[in-house]
Amino acid sequence: MATPIVDVHTHVYPPKYVELLKSRSEVPYIRTFDSDLTARLIILPREDDPSTPSTARGRPIGPEYFDIAKKIAFMDQHGIDISVISQANPWLDFLSASEATDAAVEVNDDINNMCEKYPGRLFAFGTLPVKAGAEACVREIKRLKGLKWMRGVVLGTGGMGQGLDDPKMECVYTTLEEAELPVFLHPHYGLPSEVYGPRAGEYGHVLPLSLGFPIETTIAVTRMIVSGVFDRHLALTLLLAHSGGTLPFLAGRLESCILHDAHLKKLGKLEKRRDIWDILKKNILLDAVVYSGVGVRAAVEASGEDRLLFGTDHPFFPPLEDEDTHQEWLSVATNYAAINKVFEGDKEKGGAVLGGNALRLLKLQAE
Ligand code: URA
Ligand code: ZN
């Protein structure tokens, strides 16, 4: 039997979370503007500018964001056998300590129940109550380990508020290692809007999505590397969104900058450290959501073809044409084509990237 195709980067806003966003009037929120009947999802402060026409604010949010039957229809349409769903950004990052713990339980149970409806076709990465602190996160990780369809956690780059090099994250990493659950690291915040210049409004979402997102991820994981997270947590596994942002391309420069840094040397930090190439090959998994053969090759070179995993980023990047035409999504076709081009003539390696690696690394056999 052919290896199944597995999508490891595919999002959902569980119904409980949609309810929560609809009840809010501050970012993030969902609302219908007077001039437009489609509900819109506003997830970033820069999307909330009242001078922006409502049709350009945030993005329209339809059932493909929360109705799991739509996810299955999308999978069937694109030949995807299994999806590992994750809550989309901004997860629970904006909830206060007192709200976050209960919300995590509700949202994670909601997602696990979605998986239960389609046994063996859906698995998930759970969400952590980051603002409730390390102990609450540790408790939720242990609870997730007992939920049938959970295979890891999705984390934003902010961690508990101070980033992923925050010493408070240490016990979270230890718990994840012990539970053998990987972190799916995904961007949300991008870069400060000033970097995009005064004409940014003319360019839609292109700059924040194509550059802000990947650079945010690159900075977050680089901070983990330079702070020694992977020297202390040898068994921690990170699945990096969008093929690691720009990490595969910049890894050499990063390693060189570390080796030439007088401050790190003085602190003795160059003595017992793992180099970036070792971390990339032992702790990092990369998704193949990179839309080109060049990107796929860089990912293979950095982490190995046995650590690269197909993804779609559904329900983001739908065709701009009328969605009712049921056409194949260009964003998905481009990622398939990139993988097929790189692994042309090597069905085994191509099949591993399309699904075999995910089955093995995320332990996706149904129990
Ligand atoms: N835009 C988002 O906000 N999240 C994604 O995952 C992709 C695009
Ligand atoms: Zn995504």
Side-chain angles (χ1 to χ4, degrees):
M1 207 182 81
T3 312
I5 294 189
V6 182
D7 181 357
V8 301
H9 186 154
T10 179
H11 302 294
V12 67
Y13 285 112
K16 291 269 182 219
Y17 190 74
V18 171
E19 265 172 48
L20 173 70
L21 293 191
K22 282 187 173 162
S23 72
R24 292 171 54 87
S25 53
E26 277 171 32
V27 177
Y29 66 85
I30 294 174
R31 67 168 269 208
T32 305
F33 294 93
D34 296 340
S35 52
D36 182 5
L37 291 178
T38 320
R40 299 192 74 88
L41 168 69
I42 314 291
I43 50 177
L44 288 164
R46 67 168 169 267
E47 298 170 352
D48 198 30
D49 179 355
S51 67
T52 313
S54 64
T55 49
R57 272 209 232 171
R59 64 219 33 76
I61 173 166
E64 62 284 6
Y65 281 79
F66 47 81
D67 179 353
I68 201 63
K70 293 270 182 194
K71 176 80 73 195
I72 297 288
F74 164 84
M75 290 164 61
D76 290 343
Q77 189 193 355
H78 292 88
I80 296 164
D81 299 290
I82 299 173
S83 285
V84 186
I85 57 178
S86 48
Q87 190 189 326
N89 46 303
W91 314 282
L92 306 174
D93 285 17
F94 57 94
L95 290 183
S96 67
S98 62
E99 298 163 313
T101 308
D102 289 349
V105 171
E106 281 199 344
V107 160
N108 286 330
D109 285 351
D110 223 6
I111 293 182
N112 195 59
N113 291 338
M114 286 176 170
C115 299
E116 188 65 44
K117 280 195 188 158
Y118 298 93
R121 290 208 73 188
L122 297 177
F123 294 83
F125 296 121
T127 309
L128 296 183
V130 282
K131 288 287 157 55
E135 258 181 50
C137 290
V138 164
R139 264 199 312 276
E140 188 60 10
I141 293 166
K142 290 184 176 165
R143 203 184 73 85
L144 287 172
K145 183 72 185 166
L147 295 186
K148 186 167 179 185
W149 305 105
M150 290 290 170
R151 290 298 185 274
V153 300
V154 58
L155 259 187
T157 59
M160 292 179 208
Q162 300 296 311
L164 301 177
D165 52 355
D166 180 355
K168 290 203 194 83
M169 292 294 297
E170 291 288 310
C171 62
V172 173
Y173 297 144
T174 303
T175 310
L176 287 164
E177 284 181 287
E178 286 166 0
E180 293 182 38
L181 291 175
V183 174
F184 176 32
L185 175 60
H186 194 286
H188 167 66
Y189 300 95
L191 297 174
S193 44
E194 305 86 81
V195 304
Y196 302 122
R199 298 181 62 187
E202 296 170 38
Y203 313 139
H205 291 285
V206 173
L207 298 182
L209 286 181
S210 64
L211 301 174
F213 261 25
I215 291 171
E216 174 190 351
T217 306
T218 310
I219 293 173
V221 69
T222 300
R223 283 170 55 179
M224 292 176 79
I225 293 170
V226 290
S227 67
V229 167
F230 298 103
D231 301 318
R232 295 185 292 278
H233 301 278
L234 301 183
L236 182 65
T237 301
L238 237 60
L239 166 62
L240 301 183
H242 315 124
S243 247
T246 60
L247 188 66
F249 184 75
L250 292 180
R253 182 169 178 84
L254 173 56
E255 181 66 17
S256 176
C257 288
I258 293 172
L259 293 176
H260 291 89
D261 195 277
H263 178 69
L264 291 186
K265 187 171 165 63
K266 201 166 158 201
L267 295 177
K269 298 234 165 141
L270 300 186
E271 276 147 38
K272 277 199 199 143
R273 61 174 283 273
R274 294 176 59 206
D275 73 25
I276 284 162
W277 306 110
D278 189 45
I279 293 168
L280 276 164
K281 294 207 161 59
K282 294 189 182 138
N283 300 87
I284 303 289
L285 308 175
L286 299 171
D287 75 20
V289 184
V290 70
Y291 310 99
S292 77
V294 173
V296 168
R297 275 191 210 95
V300 168
E301 185 84 7
S303 288
E305 72 245 346
D306 54 341
R307 306 179 71 79
L308 185 64
L309 301 90
F310 172 72
T312 63
D313 224 343
H314 178 262
F316 296 99
F317 307 107
L320 294 180
E321 297 77 23
D322 183 1
E323 278 159 34
D324 290 336
T325 56
H326 299 294
Q327 60 184 310
E328 185 185 26
W329 287 31
L330 173 66
S331 54
V332 179
T334 309
N335 277 322
Y336 267 135
I339 294 168
N340 290 336
K341 186 168 149 200
V342 171
F343 296 102
E344 208 173 16
D346 195 335
K347 271 205 156 148
E348 205 173 311
K349 284 184 181 164
V353 173
L354 289 171
N357 291 340
L359 285 189
R360 182 185 81 254
L361 293 161
L362 302 177
K363 305 184 183 110
L364 301 186
Q365 62 283 20
E367 276 141 39

